[in-house]
Each structure stands twice: as structure tokens, then as C-alpha cells.
Amino acid sequence: MTDMTRRRARAIAAAVVALAGAALFRLKLGADPKPVAWLPVVGPAVAALLVQFPSLGAQLLARGLWWSNVVLGVILVWAGTRNESLLGLPLVLGCGAALALVDRRALAAAAEQADFRPVAYAGTIQLLMVLALADAPTLLLFTQVESRRGLTPGSVALGVAALGLLVGFVGLYRVSLWGVLVTAGTSLALGVALASGAVHIDHDLDRPLTAICAVQVLVAAPMLLSLATRRPLPVVPPRVRGALATALLVALALGSVAVAVYRNQRD
């Protein structure tokens, strides 16, 4: 089996398991779900199509959409009601398995084909792009949820932050420093606003969304510190990065299963 055939097979397998998770999510929603509830179903479907294309934008967006659903699923499992906990589990397992299955070399090959070769910080920039594409849909989803109560400071803050991440992605794709500053600055501003209580989000989302913002800032911080001090970052081999990402996905999946089972038995 050639490398190209292997990548295609893994892309198809990833698409199938992600779609299975989205389908289970849809079944658990019951009849006549609200329009906003379709976003976690549409996202994996779009990602399943995009991941079959070798372009860098398609590969990044597919991974971003899957990560977005993993994050949403974790929030539902850990911070939602009992029913929401069971609802989020298929998203964590399905999209998490898709991210573990998809060949990471496909992203590297897409970057090479697109001549995306940052002189330094290539791994950090790619990770920031994926995070921006993952967090923006999540923030847009909760913007819609908040907007049901009208135009509130929370809905405005989430909407502006989502737009900021998308704008920052453009800068990252162009390998411009302003892209890093916009994504990190947007996440820092929203995280501080949520943590300080200046902006309040209903449904116990303050802490999960603050954690999402913190991840963005923490990923960008070493790169910005390196630029400020002119000291290079330690080089992490791709295999190590891949192993760490897989370990994170496994931990999220096992933790979510344990929480969902515990809450189901307790209630």
C-alpha cells in the first residue's frame, strides 16, 4: 500500500467515525431540534468532505471542525445536565477518534504543496491555526445560544471574539506576526473578561470558555517570548507532537466516558 493510498484510507476512516458520532448526537437530540443544534452535525459532515482534499486550507479546516466538536462535547459532558452529558459523549468519541485516525503527514504534505514554510515556529503556527478554526465555531455556537435572550454583553463578546480568531487565522496563514498577536490578544481579552466577571455567560460556560482562551494564550506565549528574547524554542520532533496529541485525545475520551457514566449512575 502506497503512502497516498494509506493516507486516503485513514482520511475515509476518520470521516466515517466522525460522521457516526455526529449521527448519534443527532439521534439523541430527538425530534425538531433547534436550528443551532444542527451545527455539531454539519461541522463533521463538512470536515468529512474537506479532509479528502490535499490542500492546506481544507486539511486545517477539517481538523479545526473536529477539534471544535471535541471541545463542545467535553463542555457538554463536564458542565451540562445529565442529558447533555450523554449528548456530548458521541461528539468527543467520534471526532476524537477521527483526529487520532487521520494521517498527520497529510497536513505536512499539504503545507509543503502550498509552499507554507515558515522560517521558524512552523509547528506553533500550524497549531494556532487549527485552534483558531476550532474555537471560532465553538464561540459562534454559544453566541447563538446567548442571542436567544436578546443582544447581551455575553453574546456580543463571544461574537467579536469569534470574528477576531478568524481574522487572526488570516494573519497566521500569511505567516504574519499580527496573526499571532490578534489570536492571542483576542483570547486573552475574552478570558480576562470571563474570569473577572465583566462578561457573564449562562449555562455554566464561563470556566470552560475561559479554559479555551487560556489554551490559545499558552500556545502562543512561548513563541512570543522567544521573539522578544531572541532565543530559539526547543525543537519538538513531529512524532513526539503526534504522540502528545493522541495522548490528549485518549485522556479526554476516557475522562468524558467516566464522567458521563458517573453522572448517569448518580442521577
Side-chain angles (χ1 to χ4, degrees):
M1 182 182 293
T2 65
D3 286 343
M4 183 63 69
T5 304
R6 187 179 296 107
R7 289 176 191 170
R8 178 56 58 86
R10 293 183 65 169
I12 293 174
V16 170
V17 295
L19 288 173
L24 285 174
F25 173 84
R26 172 63 186 88
L27 288 174
K28 288 180 176 293
L29 280 177
D32 300 325
K34 297 174 182 177
V36 69
W38 280 96
L39 292 177
V41 180
V42 174
V46 173
L49 177 63
L50 290 175
V51 79
Q52 310 305 323
F53 294 90
S55 67
L56 179 59
Q59 291 293 318
L60 288 170
L61 184 53
R63 286 161 172 77
L65 289 171
W66 281 335
W67 270 113
S68 178
N69 268 23
V70 170
V71 170
L72 174 61
V74 169
I75 291 175
L76 290 173
V77 170
W78 291 72
T81 64
R82 173 180 172 274
N83 289 335
E84 289 172 343
S85 181
L86 296 175
L87 191 64
L89 197 56
L91 297 180
V92 178
L93 298 180
C95 292
L99 287 164
L101 278 172
V102 71
D103 196 336
R104 291 181 176 85
R105 289 174 297 180
L107 182 58
E112 184 73 18
Q113 182 181 351
D115 199 28
F116 183 80
R117 300 188 185 96
V119 176
Y121 314 112
T124 300
I125 292 174
Q126 286 190 13
L127 179 55
L128 287 171
M129 287 195 293
V130 172
L131 288 175
L133 291 177
D135 293 345
T138 303
L139 294 177
L140 286 173
L141 173 63
F142 290 123
T143 299
Q144 293 297 316
V145 173
E146 286 295 309
S147 296
R148 289 184 301 180
R149 300 189 299 117
L151 191 64
T152 66
S155 64
V156 172
L158 293 179
V160 170
L163 179 60
L165 290 179
L166 293 175
V167 171
F169 171 81
V170 175
L172 291 168
Y173 196 87
R174 298 176 62 180
V175 198
S176 297
L177 178 60
W178 67 262
V180 181
L181 296 175
V182 169
T183 52
T186 298
S187 298
L188 179 62
L190 179 60
V192 170
L194 292 172
S196 66
V199 172
H200 179 69
I201 309 298
D202 284 345
H203 311 296
D204 298 321
L205 295 176
D206 298 60
R207 290 181 180 179
L209 290 181
T210 301
I212 290 174
C213 295
V215 170
Q216 282 273 3
V217 175
L218 289 174
V219 169
M223 175 182 173
L224 294 174
L225 181 62
S226 173
L227 289 170
T229 60
R230 299 184 180 181
R231 293 181 179 179
L233 289 175
V235 178
V236 181
R239 287 188 177 182
V240 175
R241 293 201 303 268
L244 290 174
T246 301
L248 174 61
L249 289 166
V250 171
L252 289 175
L254 293 177
S256 296
V257 169
V259 170
V261 170
Y262 170 75
R263 297 184 66 182
N264 185 56
Q265 291 178 343
R266 185 188 63 178
D267 298 335

